[in-house]
């Protein structure tokens, strides 16, 4: 069986896979351009997902399983995969540690006025009047109560925060004090101090947040988006900040990436911008391959107990 990687993998990881599965034929490529020549014979493909097209799926005549080494599915040719009945799994959950740490780190910077303090340090300005705030005791709403949202909620408990989860189902989830379906989202907002968005990119979540939502939030609220950039229009966030509907926005994802140099978002003191790095970790590939090998064992055993199997009709 040919197992094709269309993304660069370190020699260490390549060696371990070949040692652990000596009967399988691995082909390691640095990119899809290089891998496309092997696609017709590949039964298994490991990819980050963004390099696949309908034409390539058509070319991959023996393909039965795709392991996406990331969580995002928005760039995948889902219809073609569904028509071919190709199994798709992803690395959902491996981002929970770095992304939950990102939330706490960036919120602390906002509440403890890190921007101002660093500016004052650079200018050798001693100012004890900077107004500090506490994160402890705040009410946090997390839109997206999956693995990442749960870990954010768990860490929030260290600050004695009240945690509210919002998801499609609204089912009870560990580490949340309360859970609701998205139908309840609007009525929850007036009591929320912090909104953390971990929403994926689907037809249901595109431009989910409206200006009306920001108006319903208290004017001291903080909005943090590290899910997908198309969950909210740039102009909506910008207007909410400029009109004082919320106090601060922390944005790691955007409608257009990289964020253009002339974007007005850069100029706003009450917007913190990071370059889509909330999920970055030196452990990323190791964790993704742990899911891959677990699923490879399942595949080789002709079982169906896959971890993170994607519902191609829903896209997640």
């Amino acid at each position: 069986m040919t197992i094709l990687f269309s993304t660069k993998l370190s020699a260490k990881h390549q060696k371990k896979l070949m040692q652990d599965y000596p009967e399988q034929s691995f082909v390691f490529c640095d990119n899809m351009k290089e891998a496309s020549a092997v696609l017709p014979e590949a039964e298994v493909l490991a990819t980050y997902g963004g390099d696949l097209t309908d034409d390539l799926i058509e070319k991959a005549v023996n393909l039965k399983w795709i392991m996406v080494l990331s969580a995002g599915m928005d760039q995948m040719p889902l219809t073609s995969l569904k028509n071919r009945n190709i199994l798709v799994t992803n690395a959902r959950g491996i981002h929970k540690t770095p992304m939950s740490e990102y939330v706490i780190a960036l919120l602390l910077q906002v509440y403890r006025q890190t921007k101002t303090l660093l500016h004052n340090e650079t200018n050798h300005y001693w100012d004890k009047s900077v107004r500090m705030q506490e994160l402890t005791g705040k009410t946090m709403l997390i839109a997206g109560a999956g693995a990442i949202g749960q870990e954010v909620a768990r860490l929030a408990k260290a600050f004695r925060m009240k945690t509210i989860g919002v998801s499609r189902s609204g089912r009870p989830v560990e580490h949340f004090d309360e859970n609701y379906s998205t139908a309840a989202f609007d009525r929850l907002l007036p009591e929320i101090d912090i909104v953390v968005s971990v929403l994926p990119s689907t037809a249901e979540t595109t431009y989910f947040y409206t200006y009306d939502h920001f108006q319903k939030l208290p004017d001291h609220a903080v909005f943090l988006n590290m899910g997908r950039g198309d969950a909210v229009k740039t102009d909506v966030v910008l207007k909410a900040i400029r009109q004082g509907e919320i106090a601060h926005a922390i944005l790691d994802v955007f409608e257009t990436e990289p964020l253009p140099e002339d974007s007005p978002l850069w100029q706003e003191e009450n917007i913190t911008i990071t370059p889509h790095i909330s999920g970055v970790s030196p452990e990323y590939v190791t964790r993704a391959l742990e899911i891959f090998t677990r699923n490879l064992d399942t595949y080789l055993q002709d079982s169906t107990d896959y971890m993170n199997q994607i519902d191609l009709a829903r896209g997640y």
Side-chain angles (χ1 to χ4, degrees), residues 73-296:
M73 300 297 299
D74 44 301
Q75 297 183 56
M76 296 282 287
L78 298 176
T79 301
S80 293
L81 295 170
K82 187 172 183 293
N83 290 340
R84 284 275 306 279
N85 198 30
I86 294 173
L87 168 70
V88 179
T89 59
N90 72 357
R92 184 176 67 247
I94 67 169
H95 305 84
K96 68 179 184 179
T97 297
M99 291 183 76
S100 60
E101 289 185 3
Y102 172 92
V103 170
I104 299 302
L106 271 292
L107 287 175
L108 282 171
Q109 288 187 47
V110 170
Y111 278 84
R112 304 304 292 179
Q113 297 288 335
T114 300
K115 271 189 178 182
T116 300
L117 295 177
L118 290 176
H119 174 78
N120 290 348
E121 180 187 26
T122 300
N123 291 281
H124 303 179
Y125 178 47
W126 182 276
D127 180 12
K128 293 195 69 174
S129 69
V130 178
R131 296 184 62 185
M132 297 292 175
Q133 299 183 63
E134 291 186 357
L135 193 55
T136 297
K138 298 294 185 289
T139 297
M140 175 187 284
L141 183 152
I142 303 170
I148 296 168
Q150 289 175 57
E151 185 65 6
V152 172
R154 189 184 73 83
L155 293 190
K157 285 301 173 186
F159 293 87
R160 299 191 291 278
M161 282 191 258
K162 180 179 179 180
T163 54
I164 298 175
V166 172
S167 63
R168 190 171 179 269
S169 68
R171 66 181 177 83
V173 179
E174 189 179 11
H175 307 306
F176 288 99
D177 295 306
E178 300 172 10
N179 287 91
Y180 298 92
S181 71
T182 50
F185 184 73
D186 285 36
R187 69 174 176 82
L188 295 169
L189 295 176
E191 306 301 321
I192 302 301
D193 300 305
I194 300 162
V195 175
V196 175
S197 180
V198 204
L199 294 177
S201 181
T202 68
E204 296 172 334
T205 61
T206 300
Y207 300 137
F208 176 82
Y209 302 99
T210 65
Y211 188 70
D212 183 59
H213 289 146
F214 292 107
Q215 287 182 306
K216 285 183 167 66
L217 284 165
D219 59 11
H220 65 263
V222 175
F223 173 74
L224 186 154
N225 186 15
M226 61 176 187
R228 283 293 181 263
D230 62 4
V232 61
K233 289 185 178 180
T234 300
D235 291 347
V236 168
V237 178
L238 197 59
K239 183 179 178 182
I241 287 292
R242 289 177 171 175
Q243 296 297 320
E245 303 295 352
I246 58 172
H248 206 101
I250 300 167
L251 307 175
D252 187 52
V253 289
F254 306 88
E255 286 183 278
T256 301
E257 295 186 12
L259 185 65
E261 290 183 23
D262 60 354
S263 170
L265 294 176
W266 293 106
Q267 308 302 322
E268 294 298 321
E269 182 181 349
N270 293 327
I271 295 179
T272 297
I273 291 169
T274 57
H276 204 149
I277 45 77
S278 58
V280 172
S281 167
E283 301 302 318
Y284 183 100
V285 175
T286 299
R287 290 171 179 153
L289 289 178
E290 285 173 359
I291 297 175
F292 169 70
T293 54
R294 172 176 164 174
N295 281 340
L296 181 55

